[in-house]
Amino acid sequence: MAKSAESILKVTGLSRAYGQTKIIDNFNLQVRAGEAIALTGRNGAGKSTLLRCLVGADKPTEGEITICGEKLAETSRTIRQNLATVIDDIDFFPDLSVVEHLDLLARAHGLADPETVVDDILHEVQLVPQAGQLPGTLSSGQRRRLALATAFVRPRKLLVLDEPEQRLDTEGVRWLAERLNSELADGLALVFASHEPYLVSEVATRTVRLGPEREDGEEDESLVEVDPLLTADSTGATQQGAPKAQQPAAKTQPAQQAGSASKKRPRPSHGKKRR
């Protein structure tokens, strides 16, 4: 990563405690445009807590978070324009169809051509047949694709994801890896937590292990053996460079890519709902 790349996210001295229990202690991180930071570690190590702090859903006990040089504030219009996230199960509006959800987000964020963006994303996440359905009628995997789509229809310089591979099949995980790599090539900064070794090895430019090492001394299988870039902080979080693994020989064709958006497609059924 070129040192001249724009600094998108900076975390300084971040700590989060619940009562006397300190979950995160003096955590520091800088993420530049084109970098992907994978948070790994055992369950309960603080990955989700950290991500919630990064997007303003939880308030650090100490420390500072800046995005594109501006201190994090949920009410900031600039922050909302630069940050997109999927960290929790999204509570979709019960009376809005799939396409209406995406259209609302695209228009709320002032996209120049929201209809085209929404149509392209629906094709890419393979939800065109379900465009007129209510989110409550979707399968768990389809709801996950819709949740990811809500981030991809927004403007963003920083994308924060908590286990985005959840409920995706093998084809979906491969699609997600390719989609994220495409965005990184365009200058996106990414922070994500994952237990999926393939996603970490394909996407991450650095890994950050949270929490203590395993008692048996073995590496978590999601970590890649590399030389540390930075020393461990006081929480035991260790940052490492992560060279991307070779693509498996037997590769299933991923879901339709953004590049296929230029092909003429049938228009999704806007506004139709299945009750």
Side-chain angles (χ1 to χ4, degrees):
M1 177 59 53
K3 293 183 178 180
S4 60
E6 177 187 4
S7 178
I8 303 297
L9 172 68
K10 188 173 183 180
V11 182
T12 307
L14 187 146
S15 298
R16 182 64 173 104
Y18 297 96
Q20 299 300 314
T21 303
K22 186 163 284 190
I23 306 299
I24 303 169
D25 187 14
N26 192 31
F27 182 84
N28 301 284
L29 180 69
Q30 181 168 242
V31 187
R32 298 182 181 275
E35 285 190 310
I37 309 302
L39 304 179
T40 63
R42 302 169 67 180
N43 290 334
K47 301 185 297 297
S48 293
T49 298
L50 175 58
L51 294 181
R52 289 177 62 81
C53 289
L54 295 185
V55 302
D58 197 0
K59 186 175 181 180
T61 308
E62 299 176 6
E64 183 176 83
I65 300 168
T66 61
I67 296 176
C68 297
E70 180 177 343
K71 188 173 180 179
L72 177 63
E74 281 190 288
T75 56
S76 168
R77 181 176 181 180
T78 304
I79 294 293
R80 291 198 301 269
Q81 290 175 337
N82 289 327
L83 171 65
T85 179
V86 179
I87 60 171
D88 294 314
D89 287 332
I90 295 179
D91 292 327
F92 298 106
F93 294 108
D95 295 325
L96 291 184
S97 68
V98 168
V99 69
E100 287 172 337
H101 270 91
L102 299 180
D103 189 69
L104 176 64
L105 282 172
R107 294 181 188 278
H109 286 281
L111 298 190
D113 189 1
E115 194 170 272
T116 298
V117 172
V118 169
D119 288 351
D120 289 346
I121 290 297
L122 282 171
H123 279 84
E124 186 176 351
V125 300
Q126 298 183 339
L127 288 179
V128 171
Q130 295 79 26
Q133 291 183 215
L134 298 176
T137 68
L138 302 177
S139 70
S140 61
Q142 289 168 341
R143 286 196 299 273
R144 192 56 170 177
R145 286 175 179 266
L146 176 57
L148 292 168
T150 64
F152 293 143
V153 298
R154 297 180 52 168
R156 59 203 172 276
K157 289 187 176 180
L158 173 65
L159 180 60
V160 178
L161 303 172
D162 191 4
E163 298 185 27
E165 72 278 2
Q166 282 189 356
R167 299 185 292 279
L168 293 181
D169 56 20
T170 300
E171 178 184 346
V173 173
R174 291 181 185 277
W175 157 74
L176 180 60
E178 292 195 12
R179 171 70 194 227
L180 293 177
N181 277 325
S182 175
E183 297 222 359
L184 290 169
D186 289 336
L188 179 78
L190 171 65
V191 180
F192 70 106
S194 179
H195 291 288
E196 171 53 58
Y198 175 80
L199 192 64
V200 172
S201 64
E202 283 295 302
V203 175
T205 58
R206 278 187 283 156
T207 61
V208 178
R209 179 203 291 275
L210 296 182
E213 301 283 340
R214 286 175 47 169
E215 293 181 0
D216 58 13
E218 294 183 3
E219 294 284 347
D220 290 344
E221 55 181 10
S222 63
L223 292 178
V224 180
E225 293 284 352
V226 288
D227 294 328
L229 277 180
L230 300 175
T231 58
D233 64 22
S234 58
T235 66
T238 304
Q239 302 191 35
Q240 302 174 314
K244 296 182 179 179
Q246 294 294 322
Q247 190 77 359
K251 178 181 175 182
T252 303
Q253 184 65 28
Q256 293 187 20
Q257 301 301 307
S260 62
S262 61
K263 297 180 181 179
K264 189 174 181 180
R265 297 166 170 164
R267 299 281 301 165
S269 179
H270 286 64
K272 291 185 180 179
K273 305 174 186 177
R274 180 178 300 175
R275 298 188 181 275

